[in-house]
Amino acid sequence: MKIEITYYAKLVQLPVETKRENGIKTDAKNPRFDAVRECGYCKAFNELRTKKGMLIFTLLPTDGVINSQSGVQAEKRLQGKDSLNFTSLYMRGQDSNGNWYAFGNPPAVEFYGKDRKENPFYKENRQDCFLFIISADWQTMELFTIPNGLHTQQAYCDALKDGVLADKVKDLRERATEVYDYGTPL
């Protein structure tokens, strides 16, 4: 199975001390995930960065269960900059280490929010799929973007979970570079 991954990011919940040192709220109700390493390129992710260059997502429960076209349900979602509903997380199970595997897809709306902001994924990336490896304790997520993978996302997620993509994942992890300097190694 030949699968192209155009963008990879390692997302983490920062330690409290790192948050304090960077002026980040430490008692937020919902978990914040910061991209600390990345490999590849996707213009839409650059548009989600803060003025400082941070790439941040908030993990939220869905407002009721979100059903995908394939009948899979999501109970969690990631929200990006300016309250963009970045993706729902459709869980596909755990591996023997307790890591979770999930898939998602870019928002399908052209504009979002009360100010009708342009969805950065709509024009070029709305047919992509996102795959996730989520640590058992939900402190770390790895995000993989597959172009035009929307209609085969469950199969791609299963391939990731079954180790079919292990060499590709290892390569992306090794080549990933720092997203933002938080002043401490992460």
Side-chain angles (χ1 to χ4, degrees):
M1 177 183 286
K2 181 169 173 28
I3 300 173
E4 177 186 11
I5 298 174
T6 54
Y7 182 77
Y8 162 81
K10 180 178 181 181
L11 311 170
V12 301
Q13 289 191 53
L14 299 172
V16 172
E17 190 58 35
T18 302
K19 287 181 180 181
R20 282 192 190 114
E21 291 170 358
N22 286 276
I24 299 168
K25 187 176 178 179
T26 59
D27 60 348
K29 177 183 169 187
N30 296 301
R32 169 181 160 152
F33 284 84
D34 287 58
V36 295
R37 303 199 53 82
E38 67 182 347
C39 184
Y41 179 77
C42 177
K43 179 181 173 186
F45 285 107
N46 282 345
E47 293 182 29
L48 290 182
R49 293 180 194 276
T50 66
K51 290 177 184 174
K52 292 182 178 181
M54 297 174 174
L55 181 58
I56 303 164
F57 297 98
T58 303
L59 181 67
L60 299 167
T62 59
D63 300 328
V65 176
I66 296 174
N67 293 310
S68 71
Q69 293 173 340
S70 59
V72 180
Q73 297 181 338
E75 296 177 10
K76 296 181 187 290
R77 64 185 174 97
L78 289 174
Q79 182 173 289
K81 180 180 170 187
D82 297 327
S83 299
L84 174 67
N85 184 17
F86 168 62
T87 189
S88 296
L89 296 174
Y90 298 97
M91 310 307 288
R92 291 294 285 177
Q94 291 177 281
D95 63 17
S96 60
N97 295 319
N99 294 317
W100 289 94
Y101 291 80
F103 67 87
N105 44 274
V109 295
E110 187 171 1
F111 301 96
Y112 70 97
K114 64 182 179 185
D115 298 335
R116 302 215 10 101
K117 295 180 190 266
E118 188 174 341
N119 170 5
F121 293 94
Y122 186 78
K123 288 181 182 173
E124 297 176 21
N125 304 100
R126 71 176 176 233
Q127 294 297 315
D128 293 356
C129 87
F130 304 128
L131 303 180
F132 295 89
I133 300 175
I134 305 164
S135 64
D137 62 3
W138 284 80
Q139 294 297 304
T140 303
M141 290 188 196
E142 291 180 285
L143 161 67
F144 305 87
T145 302
I146 299 177
N148 298 309
L150 180 64
H151 299 291
T152 50
Q153 57 195 3
Q154 288 185 43
Y156 288 145
C157 190
D158 290 344
L160 180 64
K161 182 176 178 275
D162 294 342
V164 173
L165 304 177
D167 289 341
K168 193 173 288 274
V169 168
K170 181 179 182 226
D171 178 60
L172 290 166
R173 288 172 176 160
E174 289 173 355
R175 292 188 302 121
T177 58
E178 184 176 77
V179 173
Y180 176 83
D181 182 5
Y182 289 93
T184 183
L186 297 169

